[in-house]
Amino acid sequence: MTTNSSNESSNESSNESSKITTSQTIGPFSHEAWQWSVDATADVETTAPTVTVRGVIYDGDGTPINDAQLEAWTPHAAQAEAQQAIPGFRRIPSGEAGEFQFRLSRPADAPADAPAAFVTIFARGLVKHQFTAVFLDDAPPSPLLAQVPEERRGTLLARRQPDGSYRWDIRMQGDGETVFFDYT
Amino acid sequence: MKFDSVPSGVYPELVYPEYKSTVKRGPLQPLLRLDAALPVSDNIATPSGLVLPGEIDLTRPDGCAGEAIGERIVVTGRVTDEDGKPVRNSLIEVWQCNAAGRYRHKKDQHNAPLDPNFNGWGKMLTDGEGRYRFVTVRPGPYPWGNHHKAFRPAHIHFSLFGNVYAQRLVTQMYFPNDPLFDYDPIFNSVPDAAARQRLVSRFSIEETMHEHLLGYEFDIVLRGRDATPMGL
């Protein structure tokens, strides 16, 4: 099968467009390039109320991942964030202790199934980026969260802290592994 | 837009022990297939002002006095969905090491020279046909410590937003006939040989410019199918 691959690719040009391009790791050297390109780490300009979600990203040993890139997307916030580089979009690297923090717009008219943000995770050693989402633990029930097996829903819940912020940790592997999505 | 399951073998193995960093970072649970309208329907708006014309030429970076050192190349191709429909007005970002194999990054400790005239960063929007084009220098291979004699094949990192969130892709473009392919666990983490081959660009004499630069073509297919009902 391996030896046929070059023939396959040259003989099936009419079908090539239906074959998706696979992913590869972002590697450890994206930070300067992405910061130059879309600096979404700066303070957020928004006309909507906001919440802060902060946490730590861990590997399967519980070691913080200090070279991850996280993106958070809140599509219904685009109008409130018209001044942002990409409205409704955040992009931040994890810190030296694996820590991250998003300030997210919470427009009152968000759809019932909307999470606080859709989140994408990239890192060295992660050959395919992972899609997940974060929900506030005191928000109304979400039909999207209801699709997640009950015993794993807690991995997507950001828990309200005494100071009013929310705490959400990401575990890439093992006990309490965060639920990662594929969309239909 | 509709998202079919990706056939087995097309995506890399999330835990692929030959690439050591995957062992504790790759998720072990299967992905949860779910219905969520927004990620497959709502556009991530990428304002045209994000991209300036000079940002497609990495060999003459803004603020640098001279021209980058190395073999000048142009890379071009089309971005489409699974039905061959163009992905239009979508932000593409590229980053790479210089011709000597060193990234402009504070954590890159490789003992190779930095080029004062090369940052290694570019960005562009796809046009109405989903086409993109940028000029750069061919990146060098570099050692990375994963295993004995570990050198990455020459590659350029690509970030693609697609037209909807669920099309998001980060990948790497490789160069034809690289002798390092057989020894690179990142390239080989993709089980399907044809899928690996789709990461390799094609030399193009048509895109090659006389006495100036060499041409490479790299087409990219993002997930998702046209969801327009038949007959409309």
Side-chain angles (χ1 to χ4, degrees):
Chain A
M1 199 170 146
T2 316
T3 50
N4 285 339
S5 65
S6 58
N7 288 335
E8 271 177 320
S9 54
S10 58
N11 290 342
E12 290 188 9
S13 54
S14 62
N15 287 336
E16 275 301 289
S17 65
S18 68
K19 292 183 174 174
I20 63 170
T21 301
T22 187
S23 67
Q24 293 276 268
T25 175
I26 194 170
F29 300 136
S30 59
H31 296 71
E32 276 80 355
W34 276 20
Q35 190 175 1
W36 166 80
S37 173
V38 180
D39 186 1
T41 63
D43 200 22
V44 180
E45 288 193 52
T46 175
T47 58
T50 62
V51 293
T52 297
V53 175
R54 60 170 66 95
V56 176
I57 178 169
Y58 295 104
D59 72 7
D61 284 335
T63 304
I65 295 177
N66 66 6
D67 55 16
Q69 289 273 5
L70 305 176
E71 290 177 348
W73 182 55
T74 312
H76 49 277
Q79 211 169 0
E81 298 183 7
Q83 301 306 312
Q84 288 291 110
I86 302 180
F89 181 79
R90 307 281 184 279
R91 172 186 272 177
I92 55 159
S94 62
E96 281 308 311
E99 77 279 11
F100 62 87
Q101 174 174 314
F102 295 118
R103 191 155 77 88
L104 302 168
S105 291
R106 296 284 292 165
D109 58 353
D113 64 346
F118 293 95
V119 175
T120 318
I121 300 163
F122 307 86
R124 169 181 65 84
L126 196 57
V127 279
K128 164 83 174 65
H129 59 281
Q130 296 293 310
F131 290 125
T132 184
V134 57
F135 299 83
L136 305 185
D137 71 344
D138 53 0
S142 161
L144 180 54
L145 188 59
Q147 297 177 56
V148 177
E150 196 169 357
E151 67 277 11
R152 300 189 67 200
R153 280 178 207 162
T155 69
L156 304 183
L157 286 181
R159 296 174 199 285
R160 191 176 169 90
Q161 305 297 299
D163 68 357
S165 69
Y166 291 80
R167 170 78 189 214
W168 178 54
D169 292 337
I170 301 170
R171 296 179 194 280
M172 296 309 301
Q173 193 189 78
D175 284 346
E177 182 176 307
T178 301
V179 174
F180 299 111
F181 298 154
D182 186 23
Y183 295 107
T184 61
Chain B
M1 194 162 264
K2 175 170 162 281
F3 279 70
D4 296 335
S5 291
V6 176
S8 159
V10 170
Y11 278 161
E13 300 280 2
L14 294 180
V15 174
Y16 188 73
E18 285 81 357
Y19 174 16
K20 289 177 183 167
S21 300
T22 68
V23 173
K24 293 295 180 182
R25 292 186 169 195
L28 300 174
Q29 300 279 344
L31 298 182
L32 181 70
R33 290 277 286 171
L34 52 70
D35 289 318
L38 294 170
V40 298
S41 63
D42 270 40
N43 188 22
I44 297 185
T46 48
S48 55
L50 269 183
V51 176
L52 302 173
E55 291 170 340
I56 63 166
D57 187 351
L58 283 68
T59 67
R60 296 172 180 278
D62 193 30
C64 294
E67 191 165 351
I69 293 170
E71 173 187 326
R72 276 188 305 240
I73 62 171
V74 58
V75 180
T76 186
R78 278 189 83 214
V79 185
T80 59
D81 68 14
E82 288 176 87
D83 284 332
K85 300 264 166 51
V87 174
R88 300 186 173 104
N89 304 317
S90 180
L91 177 65
I92 298 182
E93 299 159 289
V94 292
W95 69 101
Q96 62 169 89
C97 63
N98 66 25
R102 180 140 178 213
Y103 287 87
R104 187 175 293 284
H105 188 286
K106 57 182 177 296
K107 289 185 180 172
D108 188 352
Q109 297 300 310
H110 176 30
N111 183 22
L114 277 170
D115 180 346
N117 296 313
F118 189 73
N119 293 328
W121 313 321
K123 63 180 190 278
M124 67 218 82
L125 294 174
T126 55
D127 69 11
E129 296 177 330
R131 189 165 286 281
Y132 72 91
R133 182 180 186 279
F134 65 96
V135 172
T136 186
V137 295
R138 183 179 174 127
Y142 56 83
W144 62 301
N146 182 77
H147 56 277
H148 186 54
K149 299 185 184 179
F151 277 76
R152 289 303 321 282
H155 62 279
I156 299 175
H157 294 267
F158 275 68
S159 159
L160 297 112
F161 277 80
N163 287 146
V164 298
Y165 169 77
Q167 287 185 314
R168 186 92 176 83
L169 177 70
V170 164
T171 191
Q172 298 176 20
M173 181 200 103
Y174 298 89
F175 291 83
N177 306 312
D178 195 313
L180 294 168
F181 284 153
D182 288 349
Y183 311 99
D184 182 50
I186 295 178
F187 183 69
N188 289 302
S189 64
V190 179
D192 182 70
R196 286 200 299 276
Q197 210 54 42
R198 293 199 289 273
L199 295 176
V200 181
S201 58
R202 186 175 68 83
F203 171 70
S204 168
I205 195 72
E206 294 80 18
E207 296 292 340
T208 296
M209 293 174 71
H210 183 61
E211 292 188 345
H212 186 47
L213 43 73
L214 290 165
Y216 289 90
E217 284 196 66
F218 182 53
D219 292 333
I220 299 166
V221 179
L222 301 182
R223 292 186 70 189
R225 294 187 175 284
D226 180 32
T228 307
M230 294 296 286
L232 290 181

